[in-house]
Amino acid sequence: MSGGRKPDTWWLPRGVVALRVRIFEKVNGDRAVTLPNAAYGPEVFERVYAHPAANGRSAGAGLSDLFWYWLSPGPEVHQEHLEPGPRYEDVAQATRRILAGGSADLAAAAGRAVAGVLDALPADRISLVRLRDLVMPAWAEFCYGLVFREPCPPHARKLIIAHAEDVISALKCTGLRHTRRRARLTAYVRERLAAGDVPHRLPASLSPEEQVLYLQGTFFNTAVVQLSEATAHLLLALARHPRVQRRLADDPGDDRYLTHVLDETMRLYPLFGIAHRITTDEIPLDDRTTLPVGSVVCFSYPDYHATGYERPDVFDPDRWASLSAGDAHHIPFGVAANRPCPAWRLSPLVLRAAVREVLRRFRLDSSVSHTRSIPHRAPCLLIPRGLEPGARLAPLRGFLRVRDGVEDVTRGVRQLVLGTVMVLHARRQRPAARYFERFPPGRCPVVHSTGDSA
């Protein structure tokens, strides 16, 4: 659900893509509206997104059943899917506490984690990798350190990676869910929490089991996946734009330009395709049209990020030399008035550290397509610094291009089939709808916990 941006591979069978989009649109129901659109532009997008009544999160939306299905176990206590109220505030405060830390320490920890995975690559030959797979172990280790404040053992890293890969593959419809794989991580976190190994004050509004699911979903799913996806986007953009990459490699201390590269990457390839909210009161779209209570509003990040720019489809970090992120149509971490990403401060710090560590060791090259959903996990050639690839590079680039084209076609069909299967399965299970039948918004389950689990 990329918000309508056309993929680079124009020859991908349009019938398959159109059918997939139609299936997911049907999940929204008839009371859904996507912003911005032809009638309501970016100004309406901003006004509605920031409106106090655009605060319903899961109750009453068909999309919620689908996302809860994909994110199980624990979507009912996942910060992004909690309804507004005291419980959400309690969980959000706990997340901010866990993410807190000095900028230098956080950047150093990220750099060490990325260096650890790069150490395993050969320094005397070209490596063919998928960037998301390459960096996910690093971010698993980093996020483990945030939660447990200790080095990540190999066993825990494998559990986190298996869980995160399973969730993101299901979300992208490139694979079905494996609930037992996810349950193994749940058991591990449950054991550590019961032993008192989590040195943080966790949300008192959550039971001990819910605290387990909160840690698993927020830090070992969303945080690991989003950092991995963001790093893959950044590195693939550099691989496809050698001039930008060369400028960063020649002056790694140019923090301003690296920030421009990050801003442009997140503008063109936002991590969120669609953020949906459910209206809890009427919201006017204009003088004649009002969104009724219970409407599902889908905020399309890619479409919003494409408005207000010259050549919006072109990757151009230099545009930010004369642009302010606050004034541009640019919300990579959401809007302040409607539960922004809690990692809005941490993410740029650690992503810059990761990019510097990679560029210090390697030159990147890739001939594959680059789309927002990045379902191919970003295939890329890593060329060690000082190594001259010579005639070897051209055939490798050709191989990447051909394989990427073949995979696009076969993957599109697989996504159509698996996506349809999971949509139908989620509609049968109705995880969100059944939860809110038991616990209507405003009525949380009774919690028998002091909250002092750690």
Side-chain angles (χ1 to χ4, degrees):
M1 296 187 297
S2 60
R5 185 177 299 278
K6 293 181 180 179
D8 292 348
T9 49
W10 58 270
W11 50 270
L12 185 66
R14 295 183 179 180
V16 172
V17 176
L19 190 54
R20 280 189 61 223
V21 171
R22 182 61 180 157
I23 289 169
F24 284 106
E25 284 178 346
K26 290 294 289 183
V27 178
N28 290 330
D30 296 331
R31 300 186 69 184
V33 59
T34 299
L35 297 175
N37 57 39
Y40 302 106
E43 295 77 15
V44 176
F45 173 102
E46 294 165 358
R47 177 167 53 80
V48 174
Y49 207 164
H51 196 284
N55 63 343
R57 188 56 189 98
S58 290
L63 273 177
S64 300
D65 281 327
L66 194 54
F67 280 110
W68 282 40
Y69 172 88
W70 277 326
L71 296 176
S72 65
E76 68 275 16
V77 291
H78 193 293
Q79 180 171 331
E80 177 57 19
H81 292 273
L82 283 170
E83 296 301 311
R87 188 175 239 211
Y88 168 78
E89 296 300 331
D90 187 27
V91 169
Q93 289 176 10
T95 302
R96 288 193 291 269
R97 288 194 296 268
I98 295 173
L99 294 178
S103 298
D105 291 339
L106 290 169
R112 286 193 301 271
V114 173
V117 299
L118 297 180
D119 285 342
L121 296 176
D124 58 350
R125 64 180 185 273
I126 299 174
S127 294
L128 172 56
V129 302
R130 295 190 189 255
L131 292 169
R132 195 187 83 196
D133 298 348
L134 174 70
V135 300
M136 188 173 281
W139 295 123
E141 184 166 328
F142 176 79
C143 291
Y144 179 97
L146 291 177
V147 171
F148 293 106
R149 296 291 191 241
E150 65 181 27
C152 181
H155 175 62
R157 184 167 55 246
K158 289 179 181 178
L159 291 175
I160 295 168
I161 294 168
H163 172 256
E165 285 182 339
D166 193 59
V167 172
I168 194 61
S169 295
L171 278 165
K172 295 182 187 298
C173 302
T174 56
L176 295 172
R177 301 182 311 160
H178 299 82
T179 52
R180 290 183 181 178
R181 188 179 301 169
R182 303 182 188 196
R184 285 193 283 271
L185 177 60
T186 307
Y188 175 83
V189 178
R190 183 186 298 119
E191 180 182 340
R192 296 296 306 276
L193 189 61
D197 294 337
V198 179
H200 299 283
R201 180 162 51 89
L202 297 180
S205 61
L206 303 184
S207 69
E209 182 65 15
E210 288 173 330
Q211 290 174 350
V212 170
L213 299 179
Y214 156 70
L215 291 174
Q216 178 170 348
T218 302
F219 296 97
F220 301 141
N221 168 19
T222 300
V224 172
V225 165
Q226 297 291 52
L227 285 170
S228 301
E229 292 262 299
T231 310
H233 276 300
L234 271 166
L235 297 178
L236 185 58
L238 295 178
R240 285 167 44 93
H241 297 86
R243 181 188 62 81
V244 176
Q245 180 184 169
R246 189 161 50 249
R247 178 171 170 180
L248 285 177
D250 289 346
D251 189 2
D254 189 348
D255 203 57
R256 186 169 182 266
Y257 186 65
L258 181 49
T259 298
H260 291 169
V261 173
L262 177 58
D263 285 340
E264 181 67 353
T265 303
M266 294 296 100
R267 181 195 71 81
L268 197 55
Y269 309 108
L271 297 178
F272 299 105
I274 293 287
H276 78 279
R277 298 291 186 268
I278 302 93
T279 60
T280 55
D281 200 349
E282 293 185 344
I283 300 178
L285 289 176
D286 55 28
D287 295 337
R288 296 168 296 177
T289 307
T290 298
L291 289 171
V293 176
S295 297
V296 180
V297 188
C298 295
F299 298 98
S300 173
Y301 280 55
D303 289 335
Y304 176 70
H305 281 185
T307 61
Y309 299 94
E310 294 183 7
R311 303 182 305 156
D313 293 329
V314 174
F315 181 80
D316 180 16
D318 289 328
R319 74 171 80 241
W320 294 97
S322 57
L323 270 178
S324 165
D327 297 330
H329 295 166
H330 188 247
I331 52 167
F333 302 106
V335 296
N338 196 335
R339 59 172 74 191
C341 173
W344 64 268
R345 169 184 167 268
L346 175 142
S347 293
L349 284 172
V350 299
L351 288 171
R352 287 195 294 263
V355 169
R356 288 194 174 101
E357 186 62 34
V358 173
L359 291 183
R360 184 176 69 83
R361 300 171 181 237
F362 297 100
R363 178 164 70 88
L364 299 94
D365 194 292
S366 186
S367 55
V368 304
S369 59
H370 192 174
T371 60
R372 188 207 65 80
S373 62
I374 206 167
H376 53 28
R377 313 192 311 280
C380 186
L381 301 171
L382 298 186
I383 307 167
R385 294 287 173 188
L387 177 69
E388 291 299 328
R392 290 172 291 177
L393 188 58
L396 286 172
R397 297 187 88 251
F399 167 76
L400 273 184
R401 187 182 301 108
V402 171
R403 188 183 69 174
D404 182 48
V406 173
E407 286 183 347
D408 265 345
V409 175
T410 57
R411 185 189 307 112
V413 175
R414 186 168 71 254
Q415 287 177 301
L416 171 64
V417 174
L418 298 184
T420 303
V421 168
M422 288 188 284
V423 166
L424 295 175
H425 195 198
R427 292 186 71 173
R428 283 198 302 271
Q429 289 195 350
R430 299 174 61 243
R434 289 167 58 197
Y435 178 85
F436 288 109
E437 287 169 1
R438 295 172 56 209
F439 306 109
R443 286 181 52 200
C444 296
V446 177
V447 175
H448 303 287
S449 171
T450 64
D452 297 327
S453 303

